[in-house]
Amino acid sequence: MSEVLDSYPQWLDGAWVTIRLTLLGGALALVLALVFGLAGTSRSAGVRGLNRVYVEFFRGNATLVLLYWFFYALPLIGLRFTTMFAAVLALGLNVGAYGAEVVRGSINAVPKAQYEATIALNFTPFQRMRRVLLPQAFALMLPPFGNLIIELMKGTAIVSLVGLVDLTRVSKNIQGSTGQTVASFTVVLVLYFVIAQVLQLFVRYAERRVDRMLGRRLPPEPSLGTIAAGAPGAGVSG
Amino acid sequence: MSWDWHYSGEILPDLLNGLRYTLTATLLGYVIALVLGLVWTLLRRSPSRVFNQVVRWVTEFIRSTPLIPQLYFVFFVLPAWGVTIGSLTAGTITLGIHYSTYTAEVYRAGIADVPKGQWEACTALNLPRSRVWLDVVLPQAIRRVIPTLGNYLIAMFKDSPMLLAINVAELLFSAYQVGSKSLQFLEPITMVGLLFVVVSVISSILVRRLERRYATN
């Protein structure tokens, strides 16, 4: 065990790669989720179609397959990425597709009367989104977004299979060099768990703030609806 | 470089062979996830608070750590403890255990969605515990969660490529192998990707149908 813990500089380096991938992938996913989620609520069928194509393609694909495709297949047609960039792209595109469904579903879940009120008040479509629909939808989005960022963090482990030295790769290396199988693989699982709990704390904090801002309390128990929304492979119905 | 149709046809049998492993691991793993998930849910309803918290943390731990280090753990640690295990078996079991923590959440929400009046009626009728669960609560809860559970089958299918980390000869693994033989990766990996999209799109249509069929409101 002590040999495994003595390699803490390696663990720290690995953790830093994992955290960086989570943050960069999460940022890309958030942007894509907002752009394509808003596209999904558009009145133009063409724009909505764009949302469907993006969501079905990237949500339907396995992240690891996407990563292999960016990493092994695209260089053959002249597109070359660094491993880090390919990984962020694969994770961001995949999780962004789930996120887009969350955004679309949450905006649609804001009561119809709110939307009608904005029309009665003669708001422009931009004001409508910015001032009324998005702030309310945001509170609905947070719990599923929290699940998604943890899914994304777990998803970063795939980069160990294309040569990036993240936490998972570090555990394999240390297991190889020290022969301490149980200790190395236990330590890595605990480290991932700690990272997940920290992310969880941030999400809870954000949820509480948004709820207070809007002056409402969401039920503490997850209902089937929120589980379906946060499930990998699941969209928001409606 | 352009698409090589002849090569694509040539590698198809290899990919289909990999697909067999993918489907085996996914389907058997799904059975484990469905059964074990229900076990977690029922364990969490035990009267002992300490026991409840232990089960909660165990499932939370499994759910918030990635599949690949879990695969390593099962595949490399079990032999160290004297249990010899094949890579496909290790992969299937790990996938099943990992997803059982998700299905447990789903069952729990499903049970919580069963109207309170149903429980009260059972108490009024003085039904024994086993009849309450088997004849009243579970049939209603499971009906509600069928679409969500369907989504997890798709999710497991999409996570199955990660089994290549412990050398399970699944779909992506076979694609990578035929690719490295000829150094033509574009065709095999693109074909795998398209297959995933096709399967996911078809199955999400099926799940949507399930949702309509089992809609409660």
Side-chain angles (χ1 to χ4, degrees):
Chain A
M1 188 73 188
S2 64
E3 284 174 79
V4 172
L5 293 182
D6 282 344
S7 337
Y8 68 90
Q10 266 171 280
W11 288 115
L12 285 181
D13 286 347
W16 179 229
V17 171
T18 295
I19 291 168
R20 237 168 51 212
L21 280 167
T22 308
L23 295 180
L24 291 173
L28 177 61
L30 188 65
V31 172
L32 290 170
L34 283 175
V35 169
F36 284 97
L38 286 174
T41 62
S42 163
R43 251 183 298 175
S44 132
V47 179
R48 278 205 313 273
L50 216 65
N51 156 284
R52 275 345 291 166
V53 171
Y54 167 72
V55 168
E56 294 300 346
F57 187 83
F58 286 104
R59 197 180 58 168
N61 228 320
T63 341
L64 186 56
V65 175
L66 281 179
L67 181 61
Y68 264 52
W69 199 64
F70 289 145
F71 195 72
Y72 292 109
L74 286 189
L76 297 178
I77 53 171
L79 279 168
R80 221 169 271 281
F81 306 123
T82 64
T83 320
M84 189 79 184
F85 188 75
V88 169
L89 212 55
L91 289 164
L93 282 167
N94 181 250
V95 177
Y98 293 115
E101 281 298 89
V102 172
V103 171
R104 186 176 69 91
S106 306
I107 292 175
N108 286 340
V110 173
K112 261 252 138 7
Q114 297 281 330
Y115 176 79
E116 285 156 7
T118 58
I119 296 179
L121 290 169
N122 206 15
F123 276 21
T124 65
F126 179 77
Q127 283 175 320
R128 194 180 291 159
M129 271 296 162
R130 167 78 187 72
R131 304 238 162 241
V132 179
L133 296 182
L134 270 184
Q136 298 187 65
F138 196 57
L140 298 173
M141 284 175 211
L142 269 176
F145 270 170
N147 282 344
L148 284 180
I149 187 83
I150 290 175
E151 289 299 319
L152 192 146
M153 187 277 292
K154 285 160 57 185
T156 60
I158 57 172
V159 302
S160 62
L161 301 173
V162 292
L164 270 184
V165 191
D166 71 328
L167 270 179
T168 303
R169 189 52 175 247
V170 167
S171 74
K172 195 86 194 304
N173 290 348
I174 291 180
Q175 183 252 345
S177 62
T178 63
Q180 300 272 325
T181 308
V182 182
S184 354
F185 291 136
T186 307
V187 168
V188 73
L189 288 175
V190 170
L191 287 174
Y192 274 116
F193 181 65
V194 171
I195 296 177
Q197 293 304 309
V198 172
L199 287 175
Q200 191 86 263
L201 277 181
F202 278 123
V203 174
R204 292 266 158 75
Y205 173 74
E207 274 171 39
R208 270 204 301 274
R209 280 208 60 159
V210 170
D211 286 350
R212 216 176 316 134
M213 232 160 64
L214 297 172
R216 67 170 152 199
R217 274 268 47 131
L218 294 172
E221 280 285 299
S223 78
L224 258 183
T226 56
I227 286 187
V236 181
S237 41
Chain B
M1 183 172 169
S2 61
W3 188 272
D4 186 342
W5 285 105
H6 178 68
Y7 174 61
S8 316
E10 236 171 36
I11 60 176
L12 202 58
D14 284 315
L15 295 187
L16 289 180
N17 202 32
L19 183 63
R20 248 184 39 215
Y21 284 93
T22 300
L23 291 179
T24 309
T26 307
L27 293 176
L28 289 180
Y30 191 56
V31 174
I32 298 176
L34 287 184
V35 176
L36 189 60
L38 195 54
V39 172
W40 292 127
T41 309
L42 296 179
L43 284 181
R44 278 210 53 189
R45 301 184 71 94
S46 114
S48 153
R49 275 191 74 125
V50 180
F51 187 76
N52 272 337
Q53 285 304 309
V54 173
V55 175
R56 194 174 85 90
W57 279 101
V58 170
T59 46
E60 177 76 22
F61 187 87
I62 299 175
R63 203 187 23 231
S64 50
T65 50
L67 190 60
I68 294 174
Q70 286 177 356
L71 287 165
Y72 288 151
F73 190 90
V74 171
F75 187 60
F76 292 106
V77 170
L78 285 187
W81 289 342
V83 187
T84 11
I85 189 171
S87 61
L88 181 61
T89 320
T92 307
I93 293 174
T94 317
L95 203 57
I97 294 177
H98 188 83
Y99 271 92
S100 74
T101 59
Y102 287 99
T103 56
E105 266 322 87
V106 176
Y107 289 129
R108 200 159 72 94
I111 291 170
D113 271 7
V114 174
K116 234 188 150 73
Q118 299 283 328
W119 290 95
E120 288 161 359
C122 290
T123 316
L125 291 169
N126 201 18
L127 285 183
R129 295 289 289 168
S130 60
R131 293 262 329 261
V132 175
W133 280 101
L134 291 176
D135 294 342
V136 181
V137 176
L138 285 183
Q140 297 185 64
I142 287 174
R143 211 184 119 84
R144 281 156 210 261
V145 298
I146 286 173
T148 317
L149 290 180
N151 275 327
Y152 279 116
L153 178 61
I154 312 174
M156 281 178 79
F157 176 65
K158 284 184 305 188
D159 267 356
S160 64
M162 293 189 200
L163 298 195
L164 69 80
I166 55 169
N167 295 329
V168 176
E170 50 71 56
L171 194 52
L172 184 60
F173 188 86
S174 347
Y176 179 73
Q177 276 195 321
V178 291
S180 35
K181 245 181 269 165
S182 54
L183 287 178
Q184 279 181 278
F185 286 106
L186 183 66
E187 290 84 356
I189 296 179
T190 309
M191 283 162 77
V192 170
L194 289 177
L195 188 96
F196 268 94
V197 172
V198 169
V199 171
S200 300
V201 168
I202 292 175
S203 40
S204 71
I205 292 171
L206 291 177
V207 168
R208 228 166 285 155
R209 238 187 237 176
L210 279 177
E211 260 161 18
R212 263 203 300 275
R213 192 159 154 209
Y214 290 103
T216 39
N217 41 6

